[in-house]
Amino acid sequence: MFLNYLKNFFTQKTVKKNLSNVKHIESPKAIETVGIIFDETYFYEREALVSELVKNGIQQANVKVLVFKDKIKKKETFDYPVFSYKDLSWRATFDKSEVKDFIAQKFDLLINYYDTEKAALLLVSHQSKATFKVGFASVDKKLNNLMIHTHAENYQVFAEELFKYLKILNKI
């Protein structure tokens, strides 16, 4: 327990240090591929949010999901990629191949769907190769290009606001 706290503390310190010199990449093209990072500790409506994206014109095949859970039970199985603190090393890198693949994939839009800062989530978001990042206003302001002020439970409001601003920015 104490070691996990220390690992989380040092990882968060590393991420905050790296966020001080972030350069956002401008992408003039429309959004086709979407990556979503969920924190399943507080929000369980993963499929509902994905269906909201599909309703607004994003292809289901172009949406990739990565889910974070605080603790994964040994016999628990998932039909989607999941990671936890156990997959995070002391050097602020990930050992799990699904996380490495998600980070390496280039997305036109990355949705950081978590409203509490956790070191593992911040690290994946920061290392992602996405050109446009969207998240909640309660998370570090340097991480996202667009911040929406709502709670994670209000996924309909989040989707409405997201697509309203994407239309204004000529991203869709």
Side-chain angles (χ1 to χ4, degrees), residues 7-171:
K7 182 167 53 169
N8 189 30
F9 175 77
F10 288 122
T11 303
Q12 196 153 9
K13 189 174 178 180
T14 302
V15 170
K16 295 285 185 180
K17 181 180 171 187
N18 289 340
L19 283 176
S20 65
N21 55 3
V22 169
K23 293 182 178 125
H24 293 291
I25 303 167
E26 291 295 322
S27 174
K29 71 176 194 169
I31 292 174
E32 295 174 7
T33 57
V34 177
I36 307 173
I37 302 171
F38 282 105
D39 182 3
E40 206 172 75
T41 309
Y42 304 109
F43 182 73
Y44 302 104
E45 302 291 329
R46 176 183 50 84
E47 290 296 327
L49 182 63
V50 172
S51 68
E52 287 288 327
L53 295 175
V54 171
K55 281 185 208 173
N56 286 295
I58 305 293
Q59 298 289 327
Q60 176 85 32
N62 293 342
V63 177
K64 303 288 185 226
V65 175
L66 183 65
V67 177
F68 173 80
K69 290 187 77 150
D70 281 332
K71 294 181 181 178
I72 299 174
K73 297 174 185 160
K74 288 185 179 183
K75 296 185 180 185
E76 199 171 13
T77 59
F78 302 98
D79 59 343
Y80 47 89
V82 177
F83 73 105
S84 69
Y85 285 119
K86 289 176 76 176
D87 302 315
L88 181 63
S89 74
W90 282 90
R91 294 182 185 197
T93 60
F94 289 97
D95 301 326
K96 201 166 193 178
S97 64
E98 290 97 351
V99 179
K100 288 179 181 178
D101 294 342
F102 187 87
I103 290 171
Q105 189 168 359
K106 293 190 179 194
F107 295 110
D108 298 328
L109 172 66
L110 178 68
I111 300 174
N112 296 315
Y113 206 83
Y114 53 89
D115 55 359
T116 56
E117 290 187 8
K118 295 182 180 176
L121 293 166
L122 292 173
L123 187 63
V124 171
S125 300
H126 175 64
Q127 290 180 348
S128 173
K129 305 288 187 263
T131 56
F132 192 74
K133 298 177 183 178
V134 176
F136 289 97
S138 60
V139 180
D140 195 333
K141 310 293 187 238
K142 298 176 225 160
L143 188 63
N144 299 314
N145 301 97
L146 175 66
M147 291 155 288
I148 298 174
H149 186 71
T150 186
H151 297 288
E153 296 83 23
N154 301 333
Y155 67 90
Q156 291 103 347
V157 173
F158 183 86
E160 287 174 18
E161 292 293 314
L162 173 64
F163 283 100
K164 178 173 82 173
Y165 286 109
L166 289 178
K167 286 178 186 172
I168 290 171
L169 295 170
N170 292 325
K171 295 284 187 183

